[in-house]
């Protein structure tokens, strides 16, 4: 039963990926970093990613993308996609690498957190956002550190319970050559995206992250300094980061409770 569902999910994911990739290349005017983000996220989340793409990003009629993506929730989706694409990629790469070693679950999750955060910040955020942030890589790191960290905590808070519980119940899902591994990471990415959306909405609303964007042929990306920023108090920033860590700890706690109950 589970094998059949996983095979079906894999087929639907491949079809979703083909459609989204084609549409991004030939139809919807997204900047290249968002195109890459959507393709990666659709690869990880399958039909769910396709559904969200159709609702929030796909240009319904020619020359209407700018108007179509105006609602705040769509910008929050764009921010979430950008974050998930980097973080989940780092997490999955580490999961594949660690599958060749015998390591404890806590150690594996810790390394995946570090890997996801590092990949998301140093590659997907800073390199891809450099052109929007004065063209300076280290300045981009500094400007994206807080939003990336907050988003990462929420993504990992959602992903950890899924990854741990599924791995305990289905040990074969640790093997990256198995479709069970893909299914485990896919569900974890979906749950992580859901929890991260609310944090990204707050970040976009306060001008701390970009949202959905439109870039037509021969147009350049707008710079972050041209975007509207609100001054956010240190108290609000501290509270937001605290809540993100609370979400991370909640995910860890759920995993620990389940592991203790299962192994008791």
């Amino acid at each position: 039963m589970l094998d059949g569902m996983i095979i079906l999910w894999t087929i639907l994911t491949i079809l979703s990926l083909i459609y989204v990739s084609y549409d991004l290349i030939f139809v919807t005017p997204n900047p290249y970093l968002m195109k890459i983000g959507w393709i990666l996220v659709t690869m990880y989340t399958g039909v769910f990613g396709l559904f969200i793409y159709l609702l929030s990003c796909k240009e319904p009629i020619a020359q209407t993308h700018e108007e179509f993506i105006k609602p705040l929730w769509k910008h929050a989706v764009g921010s979430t996609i950008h974050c998930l694409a980097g973080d989940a990629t780092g997490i999955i790469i580490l999961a594949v690498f660690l599958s060749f070693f015998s390591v404890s679950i806590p150690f594996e999750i810790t390394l995946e957190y570090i890997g996801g955060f590092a990949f998301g910040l140093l590659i997907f955020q800073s390199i891809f956002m450099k052109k929007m942030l004065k063209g300076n890589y280290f300045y981009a790191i500094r400007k994206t550190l807080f939003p990336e960290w907050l988003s990462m905590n929420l993504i990992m808070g959602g992903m950890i319970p899924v990854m741990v519980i599924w791995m305990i119940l289905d040990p074969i899902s640790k093997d990256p050559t198995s479709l069970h591994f893909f299914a485990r990471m896919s569900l974890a990415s979906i749950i992580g995206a859901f929890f991260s959306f609310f944090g990204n909405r707050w970040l976009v609303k306060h001008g701390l992250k970009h949202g959905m964007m439109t870039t037509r042929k021969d147009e350049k990306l707008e710079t972050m300094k041209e975007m509207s920023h609100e001054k956010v108090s240190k108290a609000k920033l501290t509270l937001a980061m605290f809540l993100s860590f609370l979400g991370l700890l909640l995910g860890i706690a759920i995993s620990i409770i389940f592991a203790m109950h299962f192994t008791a």
Side-chain angles (χ1 to χ4, degrees):
M1 179 67 174
L2 179 60
D3 286 342
M5 293 174 63
I6 290 176
I7 291 173
L8 176 60
W9 179 258
T10 303
I11 293 172
L12 292 175
T13 296
I14 293 172
L15 294 175
S16 299
L17 182 61
I18 292 172
Y19 176 84
V20 170
S21 299
Y22 175 85
D23 189 77
L24 285 167
I25 293 171
F26 297 106
V27 182
T28 299
N30 262 184
Y32 78 96
L33 72 158
M34 289 304 298
K35 291 179 187 287
I36 294 173
W38 273 113
I39 290 171
L40 287 172
V41 168
T42 304
M43 187 188 307
Y44 303 150
T45 62
V47 178
F48 176 82
L50 170 62
F51 178 69
I52 298 300
Y53 176 75
L54 294 174
L55 285 180
S56 65
C57 184
K58 175 177 169 52
E59 187 171 47
I61 303 173
Q63 303 299 316
T64 62
H65 194 254
E66 293 87 344
E67 188 68 26
F68 180 70
I69 63 172
K70 275 188 176 181
L72 175 61
W73 75 267
K74 293 183 180 181
H75 282 286
V77 168
S79 177
T80 303
I81 294 302
H82 190 207
C83 181
L84 181 66
D87 295 347
T89 299
I91 291 167
I92 292 171
I93 290 174
L94 259 294
V96 171
F97 175 75
L98 292 172
S99 69
F100 296 100
F101 303 92
S102 179
V103 297
S104 66
I105 292 178
F107 185 64
E108 177 178 346
I109 294 300
T110 300
L111 289 182
E112 287 172 3
Y113 175 88
I114 295 172
F117 178 67
F119 191 92
L121 176 66
L122 302 179
I123 297 179
F124 214 85
Q125 289 288 347
S126 299
I127 290 181
F128 289 172
M129 293 294 291
K130 186 175 69 171
K131 288 185 178 180
M132 297 178 66
L133 292 165
K134 301 181 179 181
N136 186 303
Y137 176 71
F138 295 102
Y139 178 76
I141 290 177
R142 183 165 64 86
K143 293 294 289 184
T144 58
L145 176 60
F146 177 86
E148 169 62 22
W149 198 358
L150 187 149
S151 298
M152 176 62 186
N153 287 340
L154 295 173
I155 284 178
M156 203 61 175
M159 290 184 71
I160 288 175
V162 177
M163 293 190 296
V164 171
I165 293 172
W166 193 322
M167 186 162 51
I168 291 174
L169 295 177
D170 182 21
I172 196 176
S173 67
K174 185 176 173 61
D175 180 3
T177 64
S178 168
L179 288 180
H180 289 236
F181 174 87
F182 163 74
R184 177 168 69 97
M185 289 302 179
S186 184
L187 180 59
S189 297
I190 292 171
I191 301 301
F194 174 78
F195 283 103
S196 179
F197 169 81
F198 301 100
N200 277 279
R201 184 184 184 280
W202 184 86
L203 289 167
V204 171
K205 182 179 180 180
H206 290 81
L208 296 170
K209 281 192 76 176
H210 72 83
M212 206 74 76
M213 295 181 286
T214 302
T215 302
R216 300 192 182 277
K217 190 176 181 180
D218 299 325
E219 287 183 350
K220 294 182 179 180
L221 283 174
E222 59 180 332
T223 60
M224 290 293 284
K225 65 181 180 180
E226 293 171 338
M227 298 172 69
S228 175
H229 283 68
E230 292 181 18
K231 288 187 177 181
V232 185
S233 67
K234 287 186 178 180
K236 285 186 177 181
L237 293 175
T238 302
L239 177 60
M241 184 59 76
F242 171 77
L243 291 175
S244 77
F245 272 109
L246 198 61
L248 175 62
L249 292 175
L250 179 61
I252 293 173
I254 292 173
S255 303
I256 292 174
I257 292 171
F258 180 86
M260 291 176 63
H261 176 75
F262 185 81
T263 57

